[in-house]
Structures are given as structure tokens and as C-alpha cells.
């Protein structure tokens, strides 16, 4: 499959400065014939605190269509009538905002980050920790000096031992994610950087 990340724009989101992050996922080649997938995920993330304001999923998988939008309701500001909301803890991120939080963190000064994450169904507690020094990582886009960040996921205080992530961030100004490895209940995944635009 192919996964693309975009920073769409910096804009005003209902009175708050926000980043619009987007991820596109699609199956390719032979797998596409077996399991056509064209998914889109959008995150409107507070530009100052990097907390989620709204998370959207547009799923197109094997002929099925599902669109969902959640405004993050922390109880701090009123949510308009008719808007689907998810009641979350203050400081909650969505998965896209979490990735950009990892990139924005100065891991030399803050070697560990704790935050709630809402992924569209559940609210998790996520811990991310610098897991070692920079090493040379080779992916299709080239070789990078990159630092590994290990991400652990908890639900109601219990660690989900079958759900872990490791993200290698390049030692460049943008802390580009060059490699993501995930262990999930359905299997394992490896996402490698193939290019930048």
C-alpha cells in the first residue's frame, strides 16, 4: 500500500489557529485488485498546543463507504448543535496530530511524552519515549541518521501488549519520519519513506 502525508494549510478553525493535516492510504498493484482501498484522514490540530480540534475519516474499502467526523469536546468550549462530538480529555490528539507532535518534540530535552489519543473509536493513553541514539536507517528514499521513538498504547490503565509502534525520525530540521514499524492484533506493518515533495 501507499501512504501519503500532507500539511494542507494553516488556517483559522472556528476562531482558533490550526494546522490541517491529511493522510491518504491506498492499496496498489496486485493487492488493489484483491482489496481496493482508498482512505482519507483529516486532522485539524491547534497550531499552538498541537491538540486535536476535529478528526475526520473517509473510508473507501472493497466497495464500502464510511464517512465520520468528530469535533473534540473537552468541556472547555461549547460544541454547536448538530455537530458530532467525541468527549475527550483536555490535551487529546488524534493519530495524525500525534505523529506531528512526535516530530515537534525536542527529544533531547523531553525524552518521554504522555498524551491521550482518540482514533475514531476509542480513547487511549499513549506514551512515547526516545529509544536510543541516532543510527543509520536505509529506506527507498535513501539513508538517514534517524532516532527511534517507541510508542506504547494503554487503555484504562492496561498496556495493549499486542499494539506497539516504533517511529524513526530523521535528524533533519523537519524531523522527517523515515520508518514506522507497527505490531497490531491483525499482524505487523512496516512503512518506509519513498520520497518527499
Amino acid at each position: 500500500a501507499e501512504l501519503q502525508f500532507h500539511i494542507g494549510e494553516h488556517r483559522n478553525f472556528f476562531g482558533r489557529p490550526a494546522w490541517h493535516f491529511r493522510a491518504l492510504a491506498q492499496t496498489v498493484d496486485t493487492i488493489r485488485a484483491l482489496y481496493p482501498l482508498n482512505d482519507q484522514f483529516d486532522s485539524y490540530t491547534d497550531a499552538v498546543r498541537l491538540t486535536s480540534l476535529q478528526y475526520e475519516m473517509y473510508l473507501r474499502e472493497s466497495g464500502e463507504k464510511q464517512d465520520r467526523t468528530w469535533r473534540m469536546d473537552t468541556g472547555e468550549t461549547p460544541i454547536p448543535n448538530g455537530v458530532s462530538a467525541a468527549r475527550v480529555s483536555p490535551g487529546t490528539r488524534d493519530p495524525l496530530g500525534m505523529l506531528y507532535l512526535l516530530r515537534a518534540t525536542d527529544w533531547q530535552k523531553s525524552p518521554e511524552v504522555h498524551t491521550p489519543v482518540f482514533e475514531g473509536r476509542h480513547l487511549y493513553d499513549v506514551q512515547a519515549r526516545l529509544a536510543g541514539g541516532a543510527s543509520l536507517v536505509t529506506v527507498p528514499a535513501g539513508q538517514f541518521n534517524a532516532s527511534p521513538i517507541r510508542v506504547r498504547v494503554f487503555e484504562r490503565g492496561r498496556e495493549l501488549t499486542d499494539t506497539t509502534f516504533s517511529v524513526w525520525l530523521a535528524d533533519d530540521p523537519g524531523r522527517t519520519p523515515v520508518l514506522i514499524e507497527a505490531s497490531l492484533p491483525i499482524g505487523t506493518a512496516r512503512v518506509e519513506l519513498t520520497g518527499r515533495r
Side-chain angles (χ1 to χ4, degrees):
E2 181 179 78
L3 186 60
Q4 298 179 20
F5 293 101
H6 303 274
I7 300 178
E9 59 185 340
H10 183 272
R11 56 169 283 194
N12 182 294
F13 187 82
F14 295 98
R16 296 173 70 173
W19 290 105
H20 178 193
F21 301 135
R22 174 172 287 167
L24 303 172
Q26 62 180 2
T27 47
V28 296
D29 302 329
T30 307
I31 298 300
R32 187 164 186 79
L34 298 173
Y35 189 82
L37 177 148
N38 287 289
D39 292 346
Q40 177 179 313
F41 305 89
D42 289 272
S43 168
Y44 295 90
T45 294
D46 185 283
V48 177
R49 298 186 295 173
L50 290 181
T51 55
S52 184
L53 302 174
Q54 184 163 294
Y55 183 54
E56 304 171 1
M57 295 194 311
Y58 304 96
L59 308 181
R60 307 291 183 270
E61 300 178 6
S62 292
E64 299 293 324
K65 174 181 174 181
Q66 181 181 0
D67 296 342
R68 295 294 307 270
T69 297
W70 297 271
R71 186 77 59 86
M72 299 301 165
D73 180 9
T74 61
E76 298 170 318
T77 57
I79 301 296
N81 291 331
V83 173
S84 295
R87 183 69 179 190
V88 297
S89 306
T92 294
R93 276 80 185 189
D94 56 59
L96 288 182
M98 181 64 191
L99 179 61
Y100 285 94
L101 174 67
L102 297 181
R103 295 177 67 182
T105 298
D106 184 340
W107 292 100
Q108 301 310 313
K109 294 181 179 177
S110 303
E112 187 168 291
V113 168
H114 298 254
T115 186
V117 174
F118 177 73
E119 50 76 57
R121 295 176 184 85
H122 303 283
L123 183 64
Y124 297 105
D125 291 312
V126 172
Q127 296 179 8
R129 177 189 293 270
L130 183 64
S135 59
L136 194 64
V137 174
T138 302
V139 293
Q143 292 186 326
F144 299 85
N145 282 321
S147 300
I149 309 299
R150 182 160 186 266
V151 179
R152 299 165 63 198
V153 182
F154 297 79
E155 186 174 25
R156 297 185 183 93
R158 183 179 64 85
E159 183 174 6
L160 305 184
T161 55
D162 58 357
T163 303
T164 59
F165 301 88
S166 293
V167 181
W168 279 261
L169 301 177
D171 292 342
D172 59 20
R175 295 191 179 92
T176 306
V178 296
L179 175 63
I180 301 173
E181 292 183 340
S183 175
L184 304 166
I186 61 170
T188 60
R190 180 180 171 94
V191 180
E192 299 177 330
L193 182 68
T194 59
R196 291 185 278 189
R197 295 180 182 166

